[in-house]
Structures are given as C-alpha cells and as structure tokens.
Amino acid sequence: MPELPSRDGSPGLEGAVVGRRIVEVKVLGRRTVRRQSPAELVTRLEGRKFATAGRRGKFLLLSLDDDAVLVVHLRMSGQLLHLSGAQRWPMAPHTHVVVALRGRDRASLRRSADLREWSSPPRSTVAAYPSSSRISGGTRCSKGCRPPTLAARLAGRRAGLKALLTDQRMIAGIGSIYADRSVSGQSSVLTAPEVVERGEVTSLAKAARAVLRDAVASRGSSLRDLRYRDLDGEVGSFQERHAVYDRAGERCRRCGDHVERLKIGARAAYLCPGCQL
DNA sequence: CGCATATCCTGACTGC
DNA sequence: TGCAGTCAGGATATGC
C-alpha cells in the first residue's frame, strides 16, 4: 500500500505535466483543498504552467511558472490519474480535483481521484510550508539518514523505534512498512532509543536510506500515471524482499524464525524474535 | 513537551 | 451473490 510518491523526482509526473499549461481546475471534493479556499487554489492554478515536479518527504511539489507551488499529499488512499487528450476519461468514483491541461497538440486532462490534500502556497514559503506538517526531510531522506542527525533526533525519546521512525521529523518518507524494514539486529520496532547502541543507530540510518532508495527504484514500471505502490504490487521485486513485513507466522527471510505481528498505535508491525531482539 | 488514541476516507478483503 | 464489517495506510487533533 502507499508510502511514497512514486519515482524520485517523479519523471512520470514530470513528463505528464511539466511545461503544460493549466486551462481549468475543478474542485469536487469538500475536504481536499487545505490551508486555503478552493476558489483561491483555482485562481492560483488556472492559466499557469507547471515548471518542475519534485517531492519532499511524502509531499509532491509541482512548481508553477510564477511564485507558487502546487503541493499534493495523497495520504493513504490518494491517487493521481493522468489521461491524455486522446483518451476518454470516465469520471472515477471519488474524484476530488480535476485539472485540465492544454497539450502540445490537443487538450489533455489530468484527473485526480481521491486526493487528500491540495494547496498552492507561494514558492517563497515552501521551505516553511512542510514545517506545518512537520516534515524535516528533503528529496529522499536527507539529513535524517545521517547517523549523527538521526541519533540526535532519537535522543531522549522513550517510544518504540517504529512509532518514532514513522514521525516525518525523523526521516522524511519513512512509513509503516519502511520502518519495519529499517529495523533489524539487536533492536526491534518496540525498542526505545535509549537502549539502542550507537552502532545500531548507524545501521538503522543506513537501512532506512537503502529502503527508500530500493523502494523508489523498484517502482519504475511502465505506469505513466502517478500512484502509490501497492504492497502486493504486481511487478516490484520489492515486496518479495521483505524479510518480515506482512509475513506473520511465516519464516523470517533473514534467520528463519517465525515472524510475529503486533499493533503499534493503529498500525500493524512485524518483528522477528530471531534477528530482532 | 512527549506519548497514546481517535479520526478522517477508500479499496481490499473477510465473513455471513 | 450480495452485503456488512474490518482493516491498512499517513497525518493530525485531542487528551493525558
């Protein structure tokens, strides 16, 4: 299921929207636009061109050709759909925002189903914008993946590693699945940082970096649209390499012990008693 | 402040 | 087969 906007730098999204002009924006959902009124969003977007496509943590950032940036967060079930002008576009259920683009040759449409957050703050405020959402990371995992930074951020905290790692202030982009994947060795998702040894923080940071890199790389499929990857996703070798995640009762791929499932907050967590102590 | 819990929404899945 | 119920996923408001 979803965790990270697909493709670092979002070439799929980039190819679909960068350089294209927005001719019309319709807001259909009532709770989709945040931090501003739907009318303001529409006014900011219509007539503008998309200049760049990027990402910051789990936020998609589409800069416009003026001083604004379109910020999109898909939360858990959000999805972006792209349909070219040649395609018919039956309105999918729960379509919240529709953005019509002017194409090179003819009109094409970008449709968004089930978006959970759209806003368009001025570009000058973007660095500050994610702070309201408590994002500290950059494009991929930025400073949070540096062991000293991670160690500093974990210092003094008493909650378990999973609860902490999924806080975007630790390492932007880490979600439930990637948190589980990042933890191994002497620690588990339940371990409090105070008992985590220094060397383990280093491997934690390295693991998180690797998880994000692999996750982003392994979704390079033929999809033109932008969507979160599916945990049971068809192609990706990624989920096949989970050692413990979503493998309750099965054998850990690292040590062969039986994987246990537990709940941390409202989320499932998996741990292997053999190699995660 | 830190931590836990409830809540939002939808598609997938489970059980009757 | 259809329908109701449950759950996962990310962020955040609320309560302690």
Side-chain angles (χ1 to χ4, degrees):
Chain A
M1 281 307 191
E3 285 227 4
L4 213 57
S6 69
R7 305 181 192 89
D8 204 9
S10 305
L13 184 58
E14 189 170 352
V17 304
V18 168
R20 315 285 299 273
R21 192 172 294 281
I22 299 164
V23 296
E24 187 180 12
V25 176
K26 285 184 190 169
V27 177
L28 308 171
R30 293 197 308 135
R31 325 170 80 125
T32 302
V33 177
R34 311 213 179 187
R35 299 177 167 87
Q36 65 191 155
S37 71
E40 189 187 345
L41 178 82
V42 170
T43 301
R44 275 207 168 268
L45 295 184
E46 283 184 348
R48 299 264 61 88
K49 261 187 194 175
F50 285 113
T52 66
R55 159 167 92 69
R56 183 181 176 89
K58 298 171 186 175
F59 288 81
L60 296 171
L61 304 177
L62 303 173
S63 71
L64 305 172
D65 60 351
D66 61 359
D67 68 340
V69 175
L70 171 60
V71 178
V72 177
H73 195 303
L74 303 182
R75 300 286 176 112
M76 296 194 279
S77 50
Q79 187 179 28
L80 281 176
L81 300 175
H82 170 252
L83 293 126
S84 74
Q87 289 175 283
R88 298 197 41 145
W89 54 297
M91 188 70 78
H94 313 297
T95 297
H96 289 190
V97 178
V98 179
V99 176
L101 302 176
R102 189 161 68 211
R104 280 173 285 257
D105 36 11
R106 57 196 315 187
S108 79
L109 297 161
R110 178 157 195 91
R111 184 186 60 186
S112 314
D114 183 28
L115 297 186
R116 296 317 169 84
E117 171 157 353
W118 281 55
S119 59
S120 59
R123 181 178 306 172
S124 59
T125 68
V126 158
Y129 171 86
S131 72
S132 64
S133 303
R134 315 200 306 183
I135 285 276
S136 69
T139 299
R140 192 169 288 164
C141 63
S142 86
K143 299 182 188 128
C145 281
R146 286 167 41 202
T149 307
L150 184 58
R153 290 178 180 172
L154 290 173
R157 306 296 297 267
R158 294 171 163 268
L161 283 177
K162 173 153 185 167
L164 294 171
L165 287 176
T166 49
D167 183 332
Q168 297 301 290
R169 286 173 294 187
M170 291 293 164
I171 302 175
I174 294 286
S176 179
I177 297 171
Y178 303 159
D180 284 8
R181 276 189 66 115
S182 301
V183 178
S184 67
Q186 306 295 99
S187 309
S188 82
V189 290
L190 293 173
T191 311
E194 55 188 351
V195 300
V196 176
E197 289 175 16
R198 207 168 145 215
E200 286 240 12
V201 174
T202 300
S203 26
L204 197 60
K206 281 184 182 170
R209 184 195 297 273
V211 162
L212 289 172
R213 186 188 57 230
D214 292 352
V216 168
S218 69
R219 88 194 60 213
S221 70
S222 58
L223 293 177
R224 279 164 307 160
D225 52 348
L226 175 88
R227 62 174 64 180
Y228 281 134
R229 83 191 304 282
D230 190 319
L231 175 62
D232 301 311
E234 54 283 48
V235 188
S237 54
F238 193 61
Q239 93 279 354
E240 293 166 17
R241 284 182 283 134
H242 288 323
V244 297
Y245 190 85
D246 201 24
R247 292 174 56 76
E250 298 178 55
R251 290 186 179 277
C252 167
R253 290 202 162 98
R254 272 188 299 260
C255 72
D257 208 343
H258 290 282
V259 174
E260 294 174 9
R261 177 186 190 278
L262 37 113
K263 271 208 153 187
I264 296 178
R267 295 284 162 264
Y270 298 86
L271 68 83
C272 168
C275 59
Q276 300 178 352
L277 300 176

